[in-house]
Amino acid sequence: MPNGLALLTFGVRYVEWSVAVPLVVIELLAVCVVLGGVARRIRLIAMAGGFFMVFLAYLGAIVASGGTDAAALVGWGIAAGVFWLATTALLASVVRRSLPVLTVDSAALLRSATILLLSSWAVYPIVYAMPLVGSGGTLIVVMQIMLTVADIVAKIWFGGVLHRVAKLRTAEDVRAGRDVHPEAIWISSVKQSDAGKPREVYLAAGAAVHVRRPQPPTSTAAPTSQPELFADPQPELFADLEP
């Protein structure tokens, strides 16, 4: 039967997970091939799913009867499991659609990062259900060790692999001339690309910087074939452009 100290120890973990899980979802989706409004919708749904799978589990494990009600533990656990499965399926679907578009190296790293994250998530439901089969200090220690290992895999190991994916994708874009980067990109002492610099910079005559203009909201951005919609609202500022 959990005492106050055990509840406090596990409660802090749930608070951290409620922030960390949506963040790792953002990280994974950031290196996938989804853009525009589709990316925003998927990101919002996945973040909400990640948060609610943690929050509902928190209600069952900590809030309901101080964690001593087995029926509440099962009920809230099933509700959290629905969000866990839905979020896992959504992330796996986005990654699967992204793999054919990426290079072989980027796809392999992204696949590894996804496996690390989703497989580590499978540990948490197991630990959540362990109080149903026993109690005591030994069980608590085992649960804490399992959660710590899962956290290391889901955050540190996953984050390291995902960082390599981001660097490799950036290097590939720099080599292809699709992007710029202020310095050379290295991964494990292997240079992936040299520094990519803009080929041409257009400034008004005598100007040292571009004139700052407000950016339109991305929420209302939409493709169009009407060229007049792209007319410069201040053409006089760019009348004397020189390369």
Side-chain angles (χ1 to χ4, degrees):
M1 302 296 291
N3 57 29
L5 182 59
L7 289 175
L8 175 63
T9 303
F10 282 95
V12 172
R13 285 189 179 273
Y14 280 98
V15 173
E16 191 272 336
W17 291 334
S18 69
V19 178
V21 172
L23 286 179
V24 297
V25 165
I26 293 175
E27 293 171 4
L28 181 60
L29 293 175
V31 297
C32 292
V33 186
V34 285
L35 302 171
V38 174
R40 288 191 294 273
R41 287 192 297 272
I42 292 176
R43 184 166 57 243
L44 179 61
I45 294 172
M47 289 176 61
F51 173 80
F52 280 110
M53 76 180 184
V54 174
F55 178 69
L56 296 178
Y58 172 75
L59 294 180
I62 305 296
V63 176
S65 302
T68 62
D69 188 340
L73 187 74
V74 173
W76 287 113
I78 293 174
V82 172
F83 284 95
W84 167 55
L85 292 175
T87 305
T88 298
L90 177 60
L91 295 178
S93 175
V94 174
V95 170
R96 186 169 58 251
R97 290 186 300 179
S98 299
L99 293 180
V101 184
L102 302 179
T103 65
V104 175
D105 293 337
S106 293
L109 283 175
L110 179 58
R111 186 184 296 107
S112 298
T114 305
I115 292 174
L116 283 174
L117 178 64
L118 299 185
S119 60
S120 66
W121 279 7
V123 174
Y124 298 98
I126 296 175
V127 176
Y128 178 87
M130 288 176 68
L132 296 173
V133 298
S135 62
T138 301
L139 182 68
I140 292 294
V141 171
V142 172
M143 293 169 65
Q144 292 283 11
I145 292 175
M146 292 178 65
L147 292 176
T148 300
V149 173
D151 278 352
I152 291 174
V153 174
K155 299 181 180 73
I156 301 175
W157 195 354
F158 163 79
V161 176
L162 203 70
H163 185 220
R164 294 182 63 187
V165 177
K167 292 177 69 175
L168 185 57
R169 290 206 60 193
T170 301
E172 291 167 351
D173 287 344
V174 170
R175 293 198 304 267
R178 294 188 298 266
D179 203 351
V180 297
H181 198 268
E183 58 188 14
I185 299 176
W186 296 74
I187 299 178
S188 300
S189 300
V190 177
K191 180 185 282 190
Q192 302 295 328
S193 74
D194 293 317
K197 299 180 180 180
R199 297 177 179 176
E200 294 178 327
V201 177
Y202 292 88
L203 297 173
V209 297
H210 287 289
V211 177
R212 184 177 181 85
R213 294 187 294 169
Q215 179 181 355
T218 57
S219 59
T220 58
T224 179
S225 58
Q226 303 178 34
E228 64 272 12
L229 295 181
F230 294 94
D232 197 318
Q234 297 174 297
E236 66 279 1
L237 296 178
F238 303 92
D240 300 322
L241 290 181
E242 294 182 359

